[in-house]
Amino acid sequence: DAAIADLKNAFVEALSPVVESVSVLVESAKPVEVEGDEADVAPALDAVDIAEKFNESGLPKIALQRVAESLKSDNNVKSLDELIADEKAYATSLREAFAPAAEEVGVIHESVAKSSNLLDEFSAIAARISGK
């Protein structure tokens, strides 16, 4: 019973920051009361829906923070799904942009590690430059 209580406390402590963040998002996403046609007012976002979409997105914390900031922005006209899709596209473009550089670094380290003398190092560098 004590282990279960400890586990429950640890779980509650781990989720507290998420609950607070989602509460702030929900509060900031509530529609402003405007006189006139109620059809123009956007529906409030549900905290559980936001948490589920954040969890399902697979995005890192920093990306989710950017999505949350965009949601709170007065200039935001995109839905939560659109913001998450944009952030995923951005993450993919970063991975693609840096993947070739990471592979080249690996090749350089690999060729230097295999070199046994200065002549071998020079030959490896010349081969990489000439593409052979």
Side-chain angles (χ1 to χ4, degrees), residues 40-122:
D40 294 338
V41 177
L45 296 174
D46 182 30
V48 174
D49 289 339
I50 293 172
E52 285 177 354
K53 288 181 181 187
F54 273 25
N55 188 37
E56 291 170 358
S57 72
L59 291 170
K61 183 178 178 180
I62 189 74
L64 293 175
Q65 287 174 337
R66 284 193 297 268
V67 170
E69 289 300 319
S70 295
L71 273 176
K72 292 190 287 184
S73 172
D74 292 336
N75 301 335
N76 180 41
V77 294
K78 293 184 178 183
S79 70
L80 177 60
D81 292 328
E82 291 172 324
L83 291 170
I84 289 174
D86 289 349
E87 201 60 40
K88 284 182 178 181
Y90 176 66
T92 300
S93 69
L94 286 178
R95 271 189 236 105
E96 290 172 355
F98 290 107
E103 290 172 6
E104 290 173 13
V105 169
V107 170
I108 291 170
H109 288 289
E110 181 180 311
S111 65
V112 171
K114 291 180 181 177
S115 297
S116 59
N117 62 36
L118 192 56
L119 183 59
D120 290 341
E121 285 184 41
F122 179 77

Side-chain angles (χ1 to χ4, degrees), residues 24-43:
V24 168
L25 286 173
V26 169
E27 191 63 35
S28 68
K30 286 186 180 178
V32 178
E33 292 184 28
V34 178
E35 293 182 20
D37 192 6
E38 290 185 20
D40 294 338
V41 177

Side-chain angles (χ1 to χ4, degrees), residues 9-24:
N9 289 337
F11 185 69
V12 169
E13 286 177 20
L15 286 181
S16 293
V18 173
V19 170
E20 290 173 16
S21 297
V22 170
S23 297
V24 168

